[in-house]
Amino acid sequence: DAMVIQNPRYQVTQFGKPVTLSCSQTLNHNVMYWYQQKSSQAPKLLFHYYDKDFNNEADTPDNFQSRRPNTSFCFLDIRSPGLGDAAMYLCATSRAGPGQGYEQYFGPGTRLTVT
Amino acid sequence: KNEVEQSPQNLTAQEGEFITINCSYSVGISALHWLQQHPGGGIVSLFMLSSGKKKHGRLIATINIQEKHSSLHITASHPRDSAVYICAVPGNQFYFGTGTSLTVIP
């Protein structure tokens, strides 16, 4: 059974048109992460939620926002997508934060294309 | 400087060969993760280990905490093993290696 679900799997949006990516989890984990992964590169952490506590990486553009309305769901909003935002967006969860030795569970990713 | 270094970056093997991928890290860790990503696909967690060795099917992962080094071994490699293998270590965030792209030729 899928534990971390991302919708849609593929998303095409127009330059400048807001887009929302969705992630849900059935693991009841406290922490949810959003990563951006460009071709042949390692995933880059954008932000994470520890419960309702939002943690933004210093170099995450303001164009990227996130919402976590409840434990199960987390959304990534891209307010004005540019061509450089085309990437795979990965959601992950863990029971606690990275330094506490818990495994991360990844969703299948959403591949975003910007036209 | 990357906190996590992997080698090799690319690896091509014949079906049936024994494969080793190496990972060295510079941060203090509680556990190390080996991840697998098929082309165009999401990431699957293969192992999380903090000491010694773990085995799952044809995959074996080892770690030496003192030397800050881990290896992922694949025995009797198969074309379906073709993927990118990523080493990740937790610190203030997860630090990812740049991955090893493995191609297994029939």
Side-chain angles (χ1 to χ4, degrees), chain A residues 66-84:
Chain A
S66 185
R67 298 170 282 134
R68 189 178 185 186
N70 53 52
T71 300
S72 300
F73 284 87
C74 195
F75 300 98
L76 169 61
D77 301 308
I78 308 177
R79 292 192 295 187
S80 182
L83 298 178

Side-chain angles (χ1 to χ4, degrees), chain A residues 10-70:
Chain A
Y10 300 90
Q11 175 74 57
V12 180
T13 191
Q14 291 179 332
F15 183 94
K17 184 174 180 182
V19 66
T20 295
L21 309 182
S22 169
C23 177
S24 63
Q25 53 133 339
T26 60
L27 298 161
N28 204 34
H29 281 171
N30 293 316
V31 190
M32 295 186 78
Y33 305 83
W34 278 106
Y35 292 93
Q36 179 193 63
Q37 186 182 28
K38 296 189 176 181
S39 181
S40 302
Q41 296 182 19
K44 177 181 179 299
L45 182 64
L46 295 173
F47 25 59
H48 74 276
Y49 274 95
Y50 198 127
D51 292 328
K52 296 182 179 180
D53 186 21
F54 178 70
N55 299 271
N56 196 35
E57 293 302 301
D59 56 353
T60 298
D62 292 339
N63 199 24
F64 291 85
Q65 303 286 321
S66 185
R67 298 170 282 134
R68 189 178 185 186
N70 53 52

Side-chain angles (χ1 to χ4, degrees), chain A residues 35 37 42-43 45 57 88 90 98-99 101-104 106 108 111, chain B residues 30 33 35 37 40-43 45 48 90-94 96-97:
Chain A
Y35 292 93
Q37 186 182 28
L45 182 64
E57 293 302 301
M88 174 76 89
L90 296 161
Y102 286 97
E103 189 169 0
Q104 274 202 346
F106 285 85
R111 182 164 296 282
Chain B
S30 53
H33 302 250
L35 311 168
Q37 188 172 32
I43 290 178
S45 179
M48 184 182 75
N92 293 327
Q93 60 169 290
F94 273 92
F96 293 86

Side-chain angles (χ1 to χ4, degrees), chain B residues 42-96:
Chain B
I43 290 178
V44 174
S45 179
L46 297 175
F47 294 103
M48 184 182 75
L49 69 166
S50 55
S51 65
K53 180 167 79 173
K54 284 191 174 181
K55 185 175 188 291
H56 185 252
R58 296 180 293 107
L59 301 178
I60 303 167
T62 63
I63 189 168
N64 185 318
I65 295 290
Q66 286 75 27
E67 295 184 3
K68 294 189 175 182
H69 181 270
S70 177
S71 294
L72 176 68
H73 307 283
I74 305 176
T75 61
S77 60
H78 189 276
R80 65 174 173 266
D81 297 326
S82 299
V84 175
Y85 293 84
I86 304 169
C87 170
V89 300
N92 293 327
Q93 60 169 290
F94 273 92
Y95 298 99
F96 293 86

